[in-house]
Every structure is written in C-alpha cells, then in structure tokens.
Amino acid sequence: MNRVRMLAAAAAVPTLLSAVLGGAPAAASAPAHAPVPAPASAPVAEPLVPHCVTPDGIDLNELYGVKHRIIGPPTCRTTREGEKWVRTVAPWFTAADAASAVYPEGYRPSRRNPIDDFNSKFVSATYVHDRGTPNEQTFTFPRKKVLRTGFVSPEGLPYSVAVSPPLAPLSVGTHTSTVFVTLSKEHCDGLGTVRAENCLPAGTFQWTDDNAFEVVARPGRPGEPGKPGKPAKPAKPAAGKPAKPAKPAKPTQGKPAEPAAQGR
C-alpha cells in the first residue's frame, strides 16, 4: 500500500479521510451527500445490524448503502458467527476537475477529469482472508461489483471507494483481511506532482495492511457468551419398591473356643 499517498490525502482532506481510516477524532463535519435525517415525528426502523460509525460520526452503512456489518476502520472490526459482512477501505481522492489538476512530468491522463481517469482504469479489487495461513482465501470482484463513485468531500474533492459485496461468514476467532487493487494503467490524482505521493501504478498492488478483526460467537445457544447453559435436571428416583433393610446376623452356633494354652 502506498502509505505516503494516504498521508498526503489525509493532509488534504483531514475530516473525511481520517474518519474512514479511523484516525484521531476531528471536528465533526457531515459530507454534503450524507442522507438527510428523518423528521422527529417519523418512526425510525431499527437497523438489522449495528452500523459502522467513524470517530467523526460518519455512518458508513448509510453513506455506502450497506445493510450488513462493515469491517473497515479500526472502530469497525467485529462481526458475528454466521453473518455475512462487507469490507470497506480508504477512498481515493482526486482534484476537482481538469482545470485544477496538476501532474508529474510526463504523465498524461486517459480521461479529462482525474476522478474519471481513476474510475476508467480501475479493473478489480481482491480480498484476501487470513493471508499467509493454511486458511487463506482469495476473492476477486470486477469494477462493476465493488467501485462506488459520485462522492464529494466537504472540501470539494471527488472520490471513489471500493466496497465489497457481502462476504461469506468466517469461523469464530481472530482473522485478517487484506485488500489489493488492480489498475489497467498508471493513474495520478491531479493533486500534486510527486509520483510516489500522487500516483498509483499499473497492475495489482496492496491497498491495505493485514487488518485484524474478530468474529464473535452468536449469542443465544447454551454455553455460549450471552446466555448461560441450562442447569442439569435432578436425577429421577430408581423405579420399583425401596429395598428392604438387611436382617441382623445370627450369633455363631457351638461352644466358645477354648483359651490358648499358656507357655511355661
């Protein structure tokens, strides 16, 4: 993952990016495209699962239209046994338009606006569970399945983000999730002229670290967290009549034994 690039983006748009990455809380600022809250008088349906809310108060489930649990920023690293889940990552920001874009020497975008250039070169996203272990699993989805676009930050910068389809449940315990992105050609964001900070290479590259998360046991089953096991039932008395008490033993018949002869 291009960490320098992420730091540069965070400096340019500290509010939204730090929220998505789960960084230190900043002044709350809802994006311009955030859903409008329902009137106080209207009934609000309870969410099927807890929403992923960043330290800045941004609800990623609402922002991305996700109904499942989200694994993404550090505030959202838990899902439950038997539940599908969705993986989100840090978004990619670009200059607002071609007029304001600046590029490294020699770079020529394929599309006029930088965000359109990124979207046109985005090929796929790959999700790896438990990388480097015997349980490793890899899933790759094409652009139409994962790429969300049309977002604009409060600072006026357009951005796109990869949001996975619902992924299959994993076993109870600690897992890791690593995301890779594939681009057809090099892309530069138009926000600067340093390739190492403002550009992404052609081909497949790592977008996230091996982010650890937990799958917790589903409550409601005996012996599992959230519900104590049922107490054992008392044993039933043995069938039939109670046993008769034993009769006392009869005294031994015959004469008492003679005393042993004493030695002289």
Side-chain angles (χ1 to χ4, degrees):
M1 182 181 67
N2 192 332
R3 292 186 175 86
V4 177
R5 167 65 187 80
M6 293 302 179
L7 292 174
V13 281
T15 301
L16 184 58
L17 184 56
S18 65
V20 178
L21 288 173
S29 178
H33 51 275
V36 177
S41 59
V44 179
E46 289 292 328
L48 296 178
V49 297
H51 283 196
C52 174
V53 179
T54 69
D56 287 2
I58 297 175
D59 187 325
L60 296 186
N61 287 81
E62 289 191 11
L63 184 62
Y64 299 142
V66 173
K67 296 181 180 179
H68 297 80
R69 289 182 191 264
I70 285 179
I71 297 297
T75 52
C76 309
R77 296 281 174 87
T78 303
T79 185
R80 280 187 179 171
E81 173 190 17
E83 289 185 342
K84 292 184 177 181
W85 51 284
V86 168
R87 180 71 158 104
T88 65
V89 298
W92 183 257
F93 296 86
T94 71
D97 49 38
S100 60
V102 292
Y103 296 112
E105 185 178 354
Y107 176 76
R108 296 291 181 271
S110 299
R111 297 288 188 274
R112 178 174 174 80
N113 290 324
I115 193 64
D116 296 330
D117 183 70
F118 174 76
N119 294 340
S120 70
K121 295 173 179 177
F122 188 102
V123 176
S124 62
T126 297
Y127 302 85
V128 183
H129 306 339
D130 301 319
R131 185 167 71 135
T133 74
N135 299 320
E136 179 175 314
Q137 300 178 68
T138 300
F139 305 90
T140 298
F141 301 98
R143 173 176 56 196
K144 65 180 181 179
K145 293 283 188 179
V146 297
L147 188 64
R148 308 285 184 90
T149 192
F151 303 104
V152 180
S153 75
E155 293 78 9
L157 300 181
Y159 66 93
S160 297
V161 61
V163 178
S164 78
L167 300 170
L170 296 176
S171 60
V172 173
T174 302
H175 297 270
T176 63
S177 173
T178 313
V179 182
F180 295 80
V181 167
T182 301
L183 298 184
S184 60
K185 296 179 181 179
E186 181 188 30
H187 160 77
C188 297
D189 58 15
L191 294 172
T193 60
V194 181
R195 264 190 163 83
E197 298 178 359
N198 302 106
C199 301
L200 299 172
T204 301
F205 52 90
Q206 189 173 340
W207 191 269
T208 73
D209 293 325
D210 297 332
N211 298 141
F213 67 100
E214 295 292 328
V215 178
V216 298
R218 189 161 41 92
R221 295 193 302 185
E224 291 184 348
K227 185 175 182 180
K230 294 181 179 180
K233 294 182 179 179
K236 293 182 179 179
K241 296 180 180 180
K244 294 181 179 180
K247 294 181 179 180
K250 293 182 178 180
T252 305
Q253 295 180 354
K255 297 180 180 180
E258 295 181 358
Q262 296 179 354
R264 294 180 179 178

